[in-house]
Amino acid sequence: MHPSLLISTAQLRANIQSVRSRIAPSELLFVLKDDAYGHGLRWATETAVAEGVRWLGTFDIPTALAVRRIAGEGPRVLALATSAPDEVAEAIEADVDLGVGSAEYLDVVIAAAKRLHRRVRIHLKVDTGLHRNGFRPESWSDALARAGVFAAGVDVVGVWSHLAEASDAEDDVAAHAFDVALRAVRHAGFTPEVTHLTASAASWARPELRQSLSRIGAFCYGIRSADGPVLPGIEPVATLIAPVIGVEDDVVRIAIGSLDGVPSILRGIEVGTPRGRRMLRAVGLIDSEVASWPGAAVGDRVVVFGPASSGAHSPTTLAESIDTVGEEVVTRLTNRVTRVIDAEEPR
Ligand SMILES: *Cc1c(COP(=O)(O)O)cnc(C)c1O
């Protein structure tokens, strides 16, 4: 008896549809980092491609190469983060777009393209305040002027940055810095094919900040922002289930614990049982205690989180009770939890 994470292809497709209709005409770049936010890279990539998503984003190059193999040649695959030189060469050969946010990395990419006699598509990243990689505004014109760029076989197809999405005021300042950087890009004679700035929260709620692409992970997986609004048409894709393994006087024991990635500080939250929500009283290493319900029996299923139809809270609602984000609750789950795609069981 072990816990399982039930994953719904239909729900991912529905969320992708909701996101795309919300952000149009901005196009979705579906973010696949952290093993598709703990849902499984292969399944998420295949589902997105079947849904017609044309842009896929990863953090590192090895994941981008895996996505390219799964997705085939059609979709664009963008590796956002700086990687090692030997990986850059592999990325170029696999037709992967590269995010470039420093002069050093730009040189690495140019050198690799030259060596391979191939053109490479890059997305220049400008730092608009997060200080997390990206050309600083004062080095931006230098980055653009570092022009071997065109001649050296490097096509600047994108310009991008990342927002904190912590407050509208901060995001406005960053968006202004992004506009300034874009003006410099056009002034320098570049016409990027795409620009991208916003992730889930700002793409959804701040249409004026949306660019031609929107890099979205969380909302596609049905994970709303902590302390953020409920999202019409979006529900969690994953449902975490734990079987009942023991029934005592007023306590039911379920087969899930901190070794499965359930933080012990989640004790006190409510989980879904066949008779409605009950309190999760304690989280042990491999099992946990839930307040009992009439007729509780070994083999019953308790839902730790899931969509509204599951009777449990969402991952973000759990996360809010321990001051973290829904992504954290889902991606922390360990390999002890079996991923089950499209289980026949009622959800
Ligand atoms: C994770 C990430 C995203 C997606 O963020 P969500 O809030 O999950 O949509 C977008 N861009 C970058 C650079 C990221 O690291």
Side-chain angles (χ1 to χ4, degrees):
M1 298 265 245
H2 51 82
S4 38
L5 192 69
L6 309 185
I7 292 174
S8 164
T9 303
Q11 191 62 59
L12 177 60
R13 294 183 78 139
N15 291 346
I16 287 175
Q17 286 165 17
S18 297
V19 163
R20 288 169 113 184
S21 66
R22 176 90 180 186
I23 67 174
S26 178
E27 186 166 354
L28 170 65
L29 182 152
F30 180 46
V31 176
L32 291 155
K33 67 189 182 196
D34 294 330
D35 194 28
Y37 291 49
H39 294 72
L41 185 71
R42 169 169 292 279
W43 164 83
T45 301
E46 286 173 350
T47 304
V49 169
E51 196 55 40
V53 173
R54 298 193 307 164
W55 285 88
L56 303 167
T58 72
F59 205 63
D60 56 279
I61 287 177
T63 310
L65 296 174
V67 168
R68 171 62 76 213
R69 284 191 292 272
I70 297 163
E73 285 177 7
R76 295 283 282 277
V77 181
L78 167 60
L80 292 161
T82 301
S83 297
D86 53 329
E87 293 179 347
V88 168
E90 284 185 274
I92 294 172
E93 291 189 307
D95 205 27
V96 166
D97 290 25
L98 297 172
V100 176
S102 73
E104 297 73 35
Y105 192 47
L106 182 54
D107 288 345
V108 165
V109 171
I110 290 172
K114 268 192 188 151
R115 231 177 10 254
L116 294 169
H117 302 288
R118 288 193 54 156
R119 299 195 75 77
V120 56
R121 290 187 302 266
I122 66 169
H123 298 235
L124 287 177
K125 181 179 188 188
V126 56
D127 180 1
T128 49
L130 267 189
H131 308 307
R132 225 211 245 170
N133 188 23
F135 290 96
R136 302 277 305 136
E138 61 273 16
S139 65
W140 186 238
S141 56
D142 187 47
L144 295 173
R146 210 172 184 89
V149 169
F150 264 21
V154 173
D155 295 322
V156 180
V157 295
V159 176
W160 65 292
S161 188
H162 195 44
L163 294 177
E165 295 189 338
S167 79
D168 283 0
E170 263 179 278
D171 287 352
D172 287 340
V173 171
H176 177 73
F178 191 67
D179 283 342
V180 171
L182 275 185
R183 273 202 293 279
V185 168
R186 302 215 165 89
H187 191 73
F190 297 88
T191 314
E193 173 193 357
V194 290
T195 57
H196 40 112
L197 176 64
T198 52
S200 284
S203 296
W204 188 270
R206 308 277 325 262
E208 69 282 13
L209 301 190
R210 271 180 222 137
Q211 305 287 313
S212 63
L213 274 186
S214 297
R215 299 185 311 270
I216 300 182
F219 287 12
C220 290
Y221 303 98
I223 302 170
R224 68 173 169 82
S225 308
D227 305 314
V230 171
L231 308 166
I234 303 272
E235 284 283 347
V237 162
T239 304
L240 180 60
I241 303 275
V244 171
I245 50 172
V247 179
E248 291 148 34
D249 292 344
D250 58 346
V251 162
V252 166
R253 193 162 295 282
I254 58 173
I256 195 166
S258 54
L259 284 183
D260 300 296
V262 174
S264 53
I265 51 172
L266 269 182
R267 98 182 144 266
I269 56 122
E270 290 179 316
V271 292
T273 80
R275 293 294 190 92
R277 290 190 186 143
R278 292 290 186 281
M279 186 190 284
L280 180 68
R281 289 219 187 137
V283 177
L285 276 180
I286 58 166
D287 58 9
S288 300
E289 292 174 10
V290 177
S292 193
W293 58 90
V298 170
D300 281 356
R301 303 182 335 158
V302 165
V303 187
V304 180
F305 63 69
S309 60
S310 73
H313 290 297
S314 73
T316 300
T317 301
L318 300 195
E320 285 165 344
S321 74
I322 55 170
D323 279 331
T324 183
V325 293
E327 293 88 321
E328 177 81 13
V329 169
V330 181
T331 58
R332 271 182 67 116
L333 296 174
T334 67
N335 286 336
R336 287 169 49 91
V337 178
T338 312
R339 270 72 175 165
V340 183
I341 296 167
D342 299 330
E344 300 277 311
E345 310 159 85
R347 298 183 69 234

